[in-house]
Amino acid sequence: MIPLRDDIPSRSVPVVTIGLIVLNALVYLYELSLGVGGPDVGGPNAAEAFVLEFGARPCRLTGACAGLDDFPSPLATVFTSMFMHSLNPMHVVGNMLYLWIFGDNIEDALGHGRFLVFYLLAGVGAAMAQTLSAPRSTVPMMGASGAVSGVLGAYVSILTLVGFAFFWRFVHIPAMVMIGFWVVMQLLFGYLTVSASTRGAESGGVAWFAHIGGFLAGVVLLFLLRPRRSIHP
């Protein structure tokens, strides 16, 4: 399900949302420059090294595989990983589409500064949730999905009693239906991931628990930061 737009216009210019989208796009373009042209001019080896260095690996965050000379520090990778994506363009495009549609209204409600704090802390909550689910994993996490999931969590909280809908193709779908479907999918795939891990399987893929953790962090953070105003269609 791909949302195209919402029905609630922002009452202020979403400068933080736009800035986050631009920053994610620039990092993605840099990753592309590392992943093309072969080993002599960067190539796959350089792209892989970039991911391993700046992606957030759970084992580094728990100390299971961290070294004293690690650069950047494990805590720093929690933030750098939020702006990295796989080379598949749908990864970054999908995240930025959701951020653009939902983020501007949350920024409008919280204010620019508090929205930036909210976004980053939601990303931290997502990384912590994924780390708790697999504390010894060496697979690096990357992507804005966790922080964007926090935005969705805030959206559900702030619009529970407000009529809202968006368009997907030519179908008018209530936001609560769309986001509810999204939550169920995260829980389902998270369960399947746990089932696979109990059989000793560990591989790359989607960090489902980061999505769940980011969503829950967004719900909690919204109440802690307290919106300065409501949003209405």
Side-chain angles (χ1 to χ4, degrees), residues 106-126:
I106 302 303
E107 181 177 350
D108 199 38
L110 288 175
H112 307 305
R114 286 193 294 177
F115 176 70
L116 179 59
V117 172
F118 166 89
Y119 182 88
L120 294 175
L121 289 181
V124 171

Side-chain angles (χ1 to χ4, degrees), residues 42-123:
N45 292 336
E48 182 180 354
F50 181 75
V51 170
L52 289 174
E53 188 170 10
F54 293 98
R57 284 183 282 170
C59 67
R60 290 188 66 199
L61 296 172
T62 60
C65 66
L68 295 177
D69 58 346
D70 276 357
F71 175 84
S73 70
L75 181 59
T77 63
V78 172
F79 295 97
T80 57
S81 65
M82 294 182 204
F83 299 94
M84 302 167 58
H85 290 82
S86 69
L87 296 184
N88 182 348
M90 291 307 298
H91 188 201
V92 64
V93 170
N95 279 337
M96 295 305 99
L97 177 62
Y98 272 80
L99 178 57
W100 174 249
I101 290 176
F102 296 100
D104 62 330
N105 295 123
I106 302 303
E107 181 177 350
D108 199 38
L110 288 175
H112 307 305
R114 286 193 294 177
F115 176 70
L116 179 59
V117 172
F118 166 89
Y119 182 88
L120 294 175
L121 289 181

Side-chain angles (χ1 to χ4, degrees), residues 118-182:
F118 166 89
Y119 182 88
L120 294 175
L121 289 181
V124 171
M128 295 302 100
Q130 184 65 25
T131 298
L132 288 173
S133 73
R136 303 188 67 85
S137 174
T138 61
V139 178
M141 295 179 282
M142 61 178 181
S145 304
V148 173
S149 297
V151 172
L152 294 183
Y155 219 90
V156 168
S157 298
I158 203 170
L159 292 177
T160 299
L161 300 178
V162 178
F164 175 78
F166 56 84
F167 291 94
W168 174 63
R169 293 186 177 177
F170 299 104
V171 181
H172 203 243
I173 305 175
M176 294 298 290
V177 173
M178 169 65 184
I179 297 177
F181 173 81
W182 179 90

Side-chain angles (χ1 to χ4, degrees), residues 160-210:
T160 299
L161 300 178
V162 178
F164 175 78
F166 56 84
F167 291 94
W168 174 63
R169 293 186 177 177
F170 299 104
V171 181
H172 203 243
I173 305 175
M176 294 298 290
V177 173
M178 169 65 184
I179 297 177
F181 173 81
W182 179 90
V183 170
V184 170
M185 294 301 295
Q186 310 313 302
L187 292 173
L188 173 61
F189 285 109
Y191 169 77
L192 294 176
T193 300
V194 170
S195 299
S197 66
T198 58
R199 298 193 298 270
E202 180 186 20
S203 61
V206 179
W208 301 107
F209 285 99

